[in-house]
Amino acid sequence: GGRMEVLEEKEEEEQREEELKALEISAKLQDLETKVSMEQICIPSDVPDFDWTSIDTSQLPSSYKTNSLKEKKLLHITDHFLQQYAHLCPDRKPLFLHPVNECGVEKFVSTTVRPTLLPYMELYHWDGCASFVSDYLAVEPLKSPITPPSSLYSPTTILKYQRGNCFDFSVLLCSMLIGAGYDAYCVHGYATHEICTLDETLELCPLLRKPQEVPKEGMKKSSNKYRVKPPPDLHSKFELQQEAKKAAETEQKNKEREEEKVMELEKPRRDPLYGLRVHAWVLVLSGKREVPETFFINPFTGNSHSTMDEHFLGIESLWNHRNYWVNMQDCWNGCKDLIFDLGDAIRWEIMLSGSNKPLQLLPDAEEEKELSDRDMDDMQEKEEDMSFDMPPSWVAPIQISPREFETRCSQGRKVILYRKAKLEKWAPYLNGNGLVKRLTIYADLDCTEVVEVREWFKNREDMLDMREVNKQTQLTTDYFSPGHLLNLKAHTYTSLEPETGHTMEFYNEARVDGLQKRVENANEMTEYFVGRDDFLHVRHMEFGKRGKKIHLAGTRTDINSQPIVQIKECFHRNLEKPADEDVAERVFLITEETIHLTYHLKDKYITASKKDFFKASERDRKGSEIVMTPEMCITYQAGSSEKEKKLLHLYKLLQELTEEEKRLKQQVRQSEAEVLNILKIRENEETAVKLSVSIYNTERNEKRRQQNEAMKNTMEDELSGQEEQNLDYLAPFLIQIGYREKMTKGQALRVRDDCLTDFKCRLIDKANIIQARFEKAVEELQKKDQWFQENKNQLSAEEEDDFLARYSETMFHIHILALRLNREKQTAPQKYLALEEKLRKDPRLAEHLGHA
């Protein structure tokens, strides 16, 4: 007996210790929760705090403020489901099932999802929907980071105030995705600190992610047995190996140290609430809309993630607009091992199954006995409700105006911090220069040293699309969309002053000369061509030092054309000519008065044919004519030792080249002038940026708006004039009696009689016209019938069918005329009486006809 008492005392002590430990752990968790929630609230943000209790709910529809019978029944089923879940899974957190809405009314989460397809092309695809939601709404942290919110507002209210927590984001995004045809679900689960708090400072910016390169297979070196053997290496290979080994070791150690330092700096801080932080996101299952693989969407960023992503640590439940599923799989390895087959009743407990299977009863027989009759009745009710359908959404239709869709971000601006980068976004037309996006890249993690700035533009008249500024080299590159005045594609420069170094790329398809690129600096200019008929692909010009400067009025700088020293041109192969007659390169040495021609290589030759011309100086010339001497041309013909016998061909070629040189000099001056013109135009475009507005954008297009208003006013004037004209039906009869303001009884009776007589005549005329047409149609039908009776034996089958078709048309026409005539005869007396009543009440005649 004494032993039993001792054992009991020990058990009691152990139990007390366990309870104390549990209390300590819960106290620690509570402290951490308050501490972390305080930290979260203290996070600096460009979005000011918002008081949700101050929102106006008086104008909301009745569905927001009350529950229908079907919704009440659903909440009753939900309570039963929760009781059973709490009994079967006592160690799991409570489910997020029926939080209150903005009016304080409990609503089941599935009915808060309102599938909507919005009328914007971008919102037909999941990435467009996700980026819109992430841009449009401002992030609010959960009040407690380890418990779901107590309320869930409608997507319409969230859109109105442009802010919400992760559950609000997910419900809105899920509504849009289901509307666009995706198999999407809201997920209640757990994620890392970075995901829950929208901390992307350790993430690489999506704009900087390089596409994965496919490794190329190394080319096999072809062995040549006739190759000359290299001389023997007399150095000690062992010593070289040892030195290389030591160098590699020291290099590796230094590299490891540097990597450790960087890793230490970039390493995320240890999170005391790891695995407990509540987060909501969206699951998109494969199948619908040709989605090849199931994936997650983080609504805060709009980015897609694999279901194997380490940032997502577990799932409690998920729901769409039709049903609710509880995850029964173990999440010890995060979401990596989860199978998203929602039809699997073992892995996913469905709330409204639609089948009549009996509910899973409580496991222990004793507990079953203890169930009261009332509970059993409730269970039977629940079994009956298994085929219960989800009530329709209580949320009003989700609407986004074109202005709201365009403005996107709250206040039209959004800033996102990434690892060594900062991304800023603006609404179109918010910035006067058309800037919509800017990415600043830094060299350090503290984001102090700027390396590069990239800017994106929209709606610019000068077609500027993007600008890259390298802060280390001070080089700026502008990229243009097709349609620029000068066909510019890209322009790289340090400043817009001439001769400071410029690289200009062009849309060569839009140019007559096929110019693709021009590289220019103080002493040189190179032009690259594509698709020319003369096979020219490169032209290189060298300039000498300037002489005296001449100031030209109206120019920005003192311009004096630099002397041209050399022009070099390179040509592609023209297959219509033999290789040794097809020029590959020609060089005009202008100061030396020399021309060098190099021809393309012939097959199986390693040297090219050449011709060098030395022009005669001015004193050796006779007038303007060139006197050709053998010393003026040196020729090398590949594969032939014979020299050119006749000088005539060389003389003609030299004449052609001299003319070509003059033309080229003009061309070079034109290129220089074009560069100066481009720089001047670009400077003007940058100093006074103009934004283009679509003719369909009536809000911003002032000219179009004025035209619309003028057209509207004109239409209104015309309509009002017509109405006045239509109303004054007595005008023709009043004119006959010279109507002023007052009329006698006799005049009034005359106007009435004239009006009624005229109307009666019109009714009779109309009936007579219809009668005449009817009689004519009957007569035609009789003639046709007579003709058919006389000729029916001679008609072919096709002619007979054609006649019958026309005969039936006439019959139909007669039928319609008969109906019209009958209707006119029936309605004529009523119309006459109606006009008589109208005349009696007319203010101009009423005084005299009231008792008539």
Side-chain angles (χ1 to χ4, degrees), residues 609-621:
S609 301
K610 289 186 179 181
K611 284 188 178 77
D612 295 340
F613 292 93
F614 304 94
K615 289 192 280 185
S617 58
E618 291 294 329
R619 58 188 173 78
D620 295 336
R621 290 187 187 178

Side-chain angles (χ1 to χ4, degrees), residues 718-728:
E718 284 177 6
L719 284 168
S720 60
Q722 277 179 3
E723 281 171 10
E724 285 172 14
Q725 195 176 357
N726 292 341
L727 284 171
D728 199 9

Side-chain angles (χ1 to χ4, degrees), residues 76 81 115 252 275 289 327 349 365 398 460 523 527 564 587 603 608 613 635 682 732 746 749 767 769 803 842:
H76 186 62
F81 186 80
Q252 186 65 26
R289 286 296 306 272
N327 177 30
E349 185 66 48
I398 296 169
R460 288 205 23 163
N523 303 314
E527 295 179 328
I564 304 165
V587 182
D603 288 342
F613 292 93
T635 306
R682 284 294 300 125
L749 287 166
I769 289 165
F803 171 80
D842 192 293

Side-chain angles (χ1 to χ4, degrees), residues 6 9 50 71 141 143 176 185 206 257 261 275 312 341 381 483 533 569 583 588 651 664 688 692 725 743 745 766:
V6 170
E9 281 174 14
F50 183 75
E71 282 178 302
K143 285 178 183 174
M176 290 165 72
Y185 302 82
R257 280 175 197 158
K261 284 178 186 176
F312 298 92
D341 176 13
E381 277 179 35
D533 295 337
E569 289 188 314
V583 177
F588 297 90
Y651 173 71
L664 279 174
S692 60
Q725 195 176 357
M743 65 172 76
K745 188 175 181 180
K766 193 176 179 182

Side-chain angles (χ1 to χ4, degrees), residues 155-166:
T156 49
T157 300
I158 296 302
L159 280 168
K160 184 180 177 182
Y161 296 101
Q162 277 190 261
R163 56 198 306 116
N165 57 42
C166 52

Side-chain angles (χ1 to χ4, degrees), residues 107-116 152-155 167 170-179 184-186 319-323 390-396 398:
K107 295 284 183 180
F108 188 65
V109 287
S110 291
T111 60
T112 309
V113 177
R114 173 79 192 234
T116 307
L152 183 66
Y153 293 175
S154 66
F167 286 84
S170 300
V171 168
L172 174 60
L173 179 55
C174 196
S175 299
M176 290 165 72
L177 292 175
I178 294 170
Y185 302 82
C186 297
W319 66 92
N320 64 2
H321 62 305
R322 295 189 187 281
N323 221 320
M390 188 67 67
S393 178
W394 55 273
V395 178
I398 296 169

